[in-house]
Amino acid sequence: MTTAPAEVVTISGFGPPPLVVVDVDLDDEALAVELEQPDGMEAARWAALDDFLNLFPGALPDDQRAYWTERLADPDDPFTGRAARTVAYQIARAVYAVPWWTAHRLCSRAAAHWWAYEAWTVTKGFDPRTAPAARIVASCWAWAAAGADKDEDLEALRREVFEGPTDLGHEDRLARGNAMLSRLQSGRSG
């Protein structure tokens, strides 16, 4: 049996931190982005939809969200949707405890098979409606892994879920990001 790729992680507590603080370096400007842990089900929905702009800048406090949204809307600002995605991916590690793409793949799988996932959570006594995003993502992995009949099935699932994408700059992602930004600027969510 294999596990997710190992990483060096600094432990400062157990479980998701109540306050997410990510240090961002943009063009040699050091900035700290702070937000409270978002609602678990809402954050899982963003991951399922691959809607990183609801995580950043959407989940930030009002003043920070306004600052970053204005920067994204300014065509002369070097802070682009691609840069926002990079920051969102950094925040995702603290919110989901896995990379963004892993949270997306697991949450979208559970959303596509909601009844089966929901039935599995009932048998385990787990209620995703009250859990933090990291626990929901962990439950999605446990549910998906429980469906693997053989070691090679589990290994294939692990690769599918945990391996990083090769097309982070793909044009369809950029188009979706621009559509999400338009919704965010107009005050509509997901």
Side-chain angles (χ1 to χ4, degrees):
M1 185 166 127
T2 60
T3 59
E7 292 185 22
V8 176
V9 177
T10 303
I11 308 238
S12 60
F14 192 75
L19 183 67
V20 176
V21 180
V22 176
D23 295 320
V24 179
D25 182 25
L26 295 171
D27 298 326
D28 297 326
E29 180 183 4
L31 302 167
V33 176
E34 294 184 11
L35 66 143
E36 291 182 13
Q37 280 287 344
D39 173 77
M41 284 293 284
E42 190 67 11
R45 185 177 71 83
W46 303 333
L49 296 172
D50 202 14
D51 189 353
F52 68 85
L53 285 171
N54 264 321
L55 181 60
F56 177 82
L60 297 178
D62 291 342
D63 59 332
Q64 286 189 52
R65 183 176 54 249
Y67 169 79
W68 290 106
T69 302
E70 285 175 26
R71 287 196 65 181
L72 280 168
D74 182 353
D76 297 324
D77 192 316
F79 185 73
T80 63
R82 189 165 287 173
R85 181 180 62 208
T86 300
V87 175
Y89 282 14
Q90 290 177 279
I91 293 170
R93 294 296 245 159
V95 171
Y96 302 102
V98 295
W100 173 261
W101 53 84
T102 298
H104 165 63
R105 293 169 184 164
L106 288 168
C107 290
S108 64
R109 177 184 294 262
H113 304 281
W114 183 256
W115 191 86
Y117 168 73
E118 182 82 357
W120 182 88
T121 64
V122 168
T123 67
K124 302 299 180 189
F126 174 66
D127 185 357
R129 295 171 301 170
T130 61
R135 188 162 170 98
I136 293 170
V137 170
S139 74
C140 292
W141 168 251
W143 165 73
D149 294 326
K150 303 177 202 162
D151 285 346
E152 50 269 11
D153 295 338
L154 185 59
E155 179 58 25
L157 176 66
R158 187 206 61 76
R159 279 192 313 274
E160 176 187 330
V161 168
F162 289 100
E163 285 184 3
T166 58
D167 66 340
L168 289 180
H170 204 268
E171 294 305 313
D172 64 333
R173 285 180 179 269
L174 188 57
R176 280 191 308 198
N178 288 337
M180 287 184 256
L181 177 59
S182 295
R183 282 196 320 274
L184 187 63
Q185 289 171 334
S186 68
R188 292 177 288 145
S189 177

